[in-house]
Amino acid sequence: MMSSSFSSCRFADYFVVCGLDTDTGLEPDELSGENFEQSPLRRTFKSKVLAHYPENVEWSPFDQDAVGMLCMPKGLSFRTQADPREPQFHSFIITREDGSRSYGFALTFYEEVTSKQICSAMQTLYHMHNAEQYDILHMPSAGPPASLQRFNSYDITRDTLYVSKCICLLAPMAFQQACRKVLEQLHQAITSSQPPPLPLESYIFNVLYEVPLPPAGRSLKFSGVYSPVVCQRPSTSELPLFDFPLSDVFQLLGVENVLQLFTCALLEFQILLYSQHYQRLMTVAESITALMFPFQWQHVYVPILPASLQHFLDAPVPYLMGLHSNGQDDRSKLELPQEANLCFVDIDNHFIELPEDLPQFPSKLEFVQEISEALLAFGIPPEGSSCCGDGVPKLTGFRSCDEVSDRRNGNLAGSPFNSFRLKDNETIARLQALVKRTGIKPNCLLLPTIAPGPYQKVQCEEDELQTHLLNVRLREIFANRFTQMFADYEVFVIQSNQDKDSWFSNRDQMQNFDKASFLSDQPEPYLPFLSRFLETQTFASFIDSKILCHDDEDKEHTLQVFDTRVDKVRMLNVRTPTLRTSMYQKCTNIDESEKAIEMRVSKIDHTALHPHLLDMKIGQGRYEPGFFPRLQSDVLSSGPTGNKWAKRSTAAHWRLRDKQRQHVEQLYLDNEQKHIQEARSLGASIRQPNLSNLSPSVIAQTNWKFVEGLLKECRNKTKRMLVEKMGREAVELGHGEGSITGVEENTLIASLCDLLERIWSHGLQVKQVNCYMLLIRCDLHTSRHIQNIGEIKTDVGKARAWVRLSMEKKLLSRHLKQLLSDEELTKKLYKRYAFLRCDDEKEQFLYHLLSFNAVDYFCFTSVFTTVLIPYHVVVIPSKKLGGSMFTANPWICISGELSETVVLQVPKNSLEITFECQNLGKLTTVQVGHDNSGLYAKWLVECVMVRNEVTGHTYKFPCGRWLGKGVDDGSLERILVGELVTPTSENEERLCRTPPMQQSPSMIRRLVTISPSSKPKLNTGQIQEAVGEAINGIVKHFHKPEKERSSLSLLLCGEYGLVWALEQVFLHGFRTPRLFKNVFIWDFLERAQAHFESPEQRELEQDENWHTRAHDFCRFMRAVNSTPRNIGKDGKFQMLVCLGARDHLLHHWIALLSECPITVQMYEDTAMIKDRVLVNSLIRVLQTLQDFNITLEASLTKGIGI
């Protein structure tokens, strides 16, 4: 292991040559998907790995298939002297199954074909092609000749044939700029008219065996063929190594598109990059994942997808892939699955297609402005530019060493746009205008300056330094966003008390982060993004790393750097965790990071051995201009182990201990990190496509892994949603802590829709099949309602609305089971490996969906708030007393969480009505009454039933009271509180287990009769407990997140609510009347009011507080008594209690009434209202309501002007 660690610290692991194997000749690349109607020069042929050095290294086994496929993803290409043949550089990445990576850097160029057999074969292909084109041209249905390929584009007698060849370096770390320089100088050596100073083997041997990786925080210089190469590596306290030019990404896409793409990556959408330049694909992919620091992309990552692997786009998992364009096909010709969840990025055309329902990144406007300022400081327009090269960008430096010195001495103007070198520059004039349009003052722009010190001479090229400086500036800005947003994240991490093996085995069942508490601490605008981000595998893996690494020494590099920055933010800004603020704070540590880079490139820490002559035989290393030579494998197959160069190289290496530490830190995972890697793989069905073996069995195995992954995700998601929804009941069953907010529930429903779309898109025969049209087949009734919603414009939106509505109706599993039972349809639409054609997995999938019937969801009602909903109302009179003789005209008014209806007249013959109005939301109260007309205007109402005809939800509003003058309490109208009726029909597959909503108190608790046995009597202890429970319910209501709160009317007027509890207080010890008549609490209150308003009481000298309380009590009593509503005495008492709770007066009124002489007259001595100790206790409990702003529904205060 020691020798392995020592050797693996080399700068490069392999040098590879790919190209045409003249022994096997031309082989068409059947997997590339090329059209054979194209001319032979435009077709692709199989390329092969011609040589690689060394043969193998133990720490990084050579994968010949993967390397060959990624070095030349489109295979061999041919050109003639008339075609452009500029060398093309691109980089790629090989990700192994364990998550470890190797980076490849390839330079593709063209060599003249010297094999006569190959030239003859190409000529033959052209003869065949021209004959086919001639036949097509003379067909009657042929189109115009202009549409055909030109004839005779290769003639062996007059044209020179060229074929592509590729040289490549494989390295453990992504030093892109350094590797590019090495390869370009090697290519320059073979195209130069003069041979290089040494044979090419000397330079390749040097970079393979004698150039080490620079340690963290150091810089290294080594020799290329013609000029030195400098690379530098960040220290352990800086952001991780990143060597791709971010300037290219922002020039190609613009700030707005980059930020949208960045958001899609964080939320784990499928991302497909599209470009005809391989390097652009790699640069954009690496840049987006690097900007995610401290989070890491956890899913399939193939920045360059070889043509032979395009079937992998069918993967029903999050992925980030790059697809090569030939520059001719437009977006519409691509058959891409699951477009609802796909972020498609056309890099070359500055265009991005976003998935539906993409939330906005927090503080987006301020974030865009800060990024724009950084770009403008380097001369890059924030909106991007179509003219962007694929190499190191030529960033505008705006400075030289002399200018920097002059600026410090005050000899130049402060604004970078005032420099004498920039006057009359059209580009700068445009930038200046752009700056003014963005509202940024040009004088405020700070340009990069070299830190003062003795090392002013930069050892690397100026453009290279500018790239490093812009990279670190932009990365610091992005990292600062997460530092600010998650500055308090450690408070909400749920640490496990299990050992790591037990924790890992139970990881699926454990919560690692208190999401609900964290979200309740965030500013409201952040919630749409954060609630979805907390559900991603990316965030879960980050928290897993935090849990597994208790000590700083155990932490991964990214986590250690991030935690250090979080600690710094806390130290500089003393934050209050519960303070919800969206104040934007700019990045403040850019200067420190830029100075670290400038110091490293100003003073090189280490210089590697220079290339030298190798022990080669005479005649080896011959130079032939224009051709890359056949390298001598005997000198490149192994490093310097037993010669004098080994002794020289020993002195150049750093201490073995440091190298082993760097090796463990950057390249290998120790035992702790293996746990982290395993934790990350949870929930991911497959990490990478297998590039080494593309046999049908391997492809089938890959698809099977997808099916297993989808089923596992379905199982975990349904369990999570049920546990969160069931709350206390789930906790009692041992499923962990259940707490869910409205935002979080909507996020979980959206993620379920995403999963369902991936399931029914997996293995589709034709990608453009409309999933919504399939859903219509299984439920025409639901689909008709969805079709009528005008605000939904797309089929994807209609499909998601269908899922939400089916869940709310508890019919999702049944509908999908009905659809999938049509075997002929599924065979017609889906390939054999599709998820929905795997019978066992399909049955388990439907069973998991069936479990949603255990709870009530309002995911359709709460989202589509403006749609028109038909409601059906039935008023059910008492069967014993009364409906047939009733002569008055009844009416009804329905209130919900979103709005309420107008007064609706109900036909007295049928007592039923159907009407349509804007979505009321979950129904809360019903006002029912009549106009007291006719001979018999007395009506005993049993209950009112209201049904939502779209969702099928039925609400029952119990009454059990008379409505009429001279009966009961004389009320002509009542306010009823409802409950959702649990479905009981035999057709329902599963009953609802959600506790019913509270209902209106029944008549027995309202009336005080002369018979003591006609009502239940509560003792003082029970009454105190009832009041405490009612108050506690209201307190809990206000401590929940706003979107999670239910209707306050239920807590005030519902069963065992505050009104009922205070009724029990006033009923306790009430004197029994002598005559057979009903006595109400309102009678007592009216007598107390008359007492307080009597002239005798006004003349008594009482303190000011007493007069204020008495005045308020009488004022509210008059207001309730003067209301035009005919609500009766009990209804008036309910209204008074609600108003007193709203204005925080109840405890004053209790104190006032307890000392009133009327109380002595109307209550027994044992009454609770006359017990000073109990009254004081009651007052203290009621005073807790003063901390809350109680807002009453309009139905409770209608007709009150106070």
Side-chain angles (χ1 to χ4, degrees), residues 616-647:
M616 298 172 64
K617 299 176 182 178
I618 297 176
Q620 289 183 340
R622 183 182 303 169
Y623 170 72
E624 187 176 356
F627 294 90
F628 196 85
R630 184 185 296 270
L631 300 172
Q632 303 306 311
S633 59
D634 54 342
V635 297
L636 293 177
S637 59
S638 61
T641 56
N643 55 38
K644 60 181 180 179
W645 302 111
K647 296 178 182 178

Side-chain angles (χ1 to χ4, degrees), residues 886-892 905-908 911 929-934 937 939:
F886 179 58
T887 59
N889 298 304
W891 57 266
I892 199 167
Q905 299 298 323
V906 181
K908 59 184 174 183
L911 297 180
H930 62 79
D931 63 357
N932 199 35
S933 62
W939 193 24

Side-chain angles (χ1 to χ4, degrees), residues 672-744:
E672 296 286 339
Q673 291 167 320
K674 286 180 182 176
H675 279 292
I676 297 171
Q677 196 65 38
E678 290 171 348
R680 282 182 178 155
S681 66
L682 286 171
S685 58
I686 187 168
R687 296 295 297 272
Q688 292 300 124
N690 189 339
L691 304 183
S692 304
N693 188 347
L694 295 177
S695 63
S697 61
V698 171
I699 294 176
Q701 184 180 6
T702 300
N703 281 312
W704 181 246
K705 287 183 178 179
F706 285 148
V707 171
E708 289 180 325
L710 286 170
L711 183 61
K712 180 179 180 181
E713 187 178 352
C714 181
R715 179 175 64 250
N716 292 339
K717 198 173 292 293
T718 51
K719 179 178 179 181
R720 165 80 196 283
M721 293 173 68
L722 287 172
V723 169
E724 296 283 14
K725 187 70 175 176
M726 292 167 67
R728 184 182 300 276
E729 182 179 355
V731 174
E732 292 172 354
L733 293 174
H735 292 298
E737 211 170 311
S739 58
I740 187 166
T741 65
V743 172
E744 191 174 356

